[in-house]
Amino acid sequence: MTVEDYLSKIIQRDGVAHITLIDPASQKPEESVRLAIAAAQGGTDAIMLGGSTDAGGQLLDITAKMIKEKVKLPIILFPGNTSGFTTSADCVLFMSLLNSRDPHYIVGNQVQGAYTLYKVGMESIPMAYLVCEPGGTVGWVGDVKLLPRKKPELAAAYALTGKYFGMRYTYLEAGSGAESALPPEMIATVKHILKENVLIVGGGIRDGKTAAICAKAGADIIVTGTAIEKAGNAKELTAEIVQGAKAGKKA
Ligand code: 1GP
């Protein structure tokens, strides 16, 4: 089964899926493996590997291989540039940062990586990546014209553009470590326009209550990274977020 089918089945069954983002540059590979195991035990549905700076190359490759040995969940690449690719994962989000001012993040890095992807034949999911205020590191690195939180219709116009380009996933991003998650009005407006297309929401989600609000507003997939990386008990926090998201969807 493809990773896309696997996630679709979870979304159909539970209303929402949860992905744990691990930045290979944030800790040693052994610690990334510990986090992945804890997140899996807490009920996350997949592991996503990536980051805006230093998250690629050998460190990414070793981290992906070590996680694969210990965790049965799919490993999805979330590349910040061409160095964020490794054959040791199951799938890559083939993403375009649509609201960047820099063509490298819209199409340039993708052109540089496309032939490698073709040769190795890894599954890829076309995705519109939309970065909203405050944007964090990815907003700065990606030279992003940040989408204002109070203008959900602008985010929706970008999401619709991605959908018309044929992208099946849209990732609405507040930036890793954002002080607060994206407003439910923004998530709801974007999901309303996307309809069956998959909406990922991430950035600043730290607890079950917030995950529930995002899921109820329309997120199909919730991503959490920083909170789980920093948690005293990563398994417990993952379980709280996963259960919160799934309960929020049913509420
Ligand atoms: C970042 O959306 C992800 O790309 C996750 O954000 O680290 O704030 O959970 P956090």
Side-chain angles (χ1 to χ4, degrees):
M1 195 190 335
T2 63
V3 174
E4 192 170 355
D5 284 344
Y6 163 83
L7 290 171
S8 293
K9 285 207 162 76
I10 292 169
I11 296 165
Q12 272 168 23
R13 186 192 68 199
D14 299 343
V16 63
H18 177 267
I19 298 180
T20 300
L21 172 64
I22 295 175
D23 184 341
S26 293
Q27 58 278 309
K28 290 191 171 148
E30 293 75 13
E31 177 61 6
S32 292
V33 173
R34 186 193 68 78
L35 287 169
I37 292 171
Q41 289 170 343
T44 197
D45 297 305
I47 304 294
M48 196 160 86
L49 291 179
S52 303
T53 53
D54 307 316
Q58 211 183 2
L59 186 58
L60 171 69
D61 190 47
I62 290 168
T63 303
K65 279 191 178 121
M66 285 173 62
I67 291 177
K68 215 167 185 22
E69 272 174 23
K70 300 280 180 192
V71 176
K72 293 280 168 276
L73 297 174
I75 298 180
I76 301 168
L77 296 174
F78 178 51
N81 55 50
T82 49
S83 78
F85 184 75
T86 169
T87 51
S88 307
D90 300 298
C91 171
V92 58
L93 294 170
F94 199 81
M95 53 205 254
S96 174
L97 209 181
L98 288 182
N99 60 322
S100 172
R101 296 183 185 89
D102 182 343
H104 286 101
Y105 290 100
I106 301 170
V107 72
N109 279 292
Q110 295 81 342
V111 169
Q112 287 181 35
Y115 202 64
T116 302
L117 187 57
Y118 171 73
K119 282 193 281 189
V120 301
M122 186 187 285
E123 179 188 352
S124 62
I125 301 175
M127 184 175 88
Y129 188 40
L130 309 178
V131 180
C132 311
E133 292 172 339
T137 308
V138 68
W140 189 86
V141 172
D143 194 5
V144 174
K145 192 172 175 185
L146 295 170
L147 287 161
R149 285 178 170 240
K150 290 189 176 161
K151 296 281 178 192
E153 65 279 9
L154 287 179
Y158 269 102
L160 202 52
T161 302
K163 181 176 174 173
Y164 287 154
F165 273 142
M167 296 161 176
R168 297 189 292 275
Y169 273 37
T170 300
Y171 192 139
L172 210 51
E173 168 80 90
S176 191
E179 267 181 36
S180 56
L182 289 170
E185 299 73 24
M186 189 177 215
I187 298 169
T189 305
V190 171
K191 182 58 188 174
H192 178 74
I193 209 105
L194 280 175
K195 300 201 165 42
E196 73 285 357
N197 273 36
V198 172
L199 177 60
I200 306 183
V201 174
I205 301 169
R206 293 188 182 79
D207 52 37
K209 200 176 156 202
T210 311
I213 292 168
C214 294
K216 192 175 181 194
D220 299 300
I221 299 176
I222 300 278
V223 172
T224 52
T226 308
I228 292 173
E229 279 183 0
K230 289 189 176 160
N233 188 329
K235 177 184 164 183
E236 252 176 38
L237 182 63
T238 306
E240 179 195 319
I241 291 171
V242 170
Q243 285 160 24
K246 303 209 177 196
K249 202 66 170 194
K250 286 178 190 134

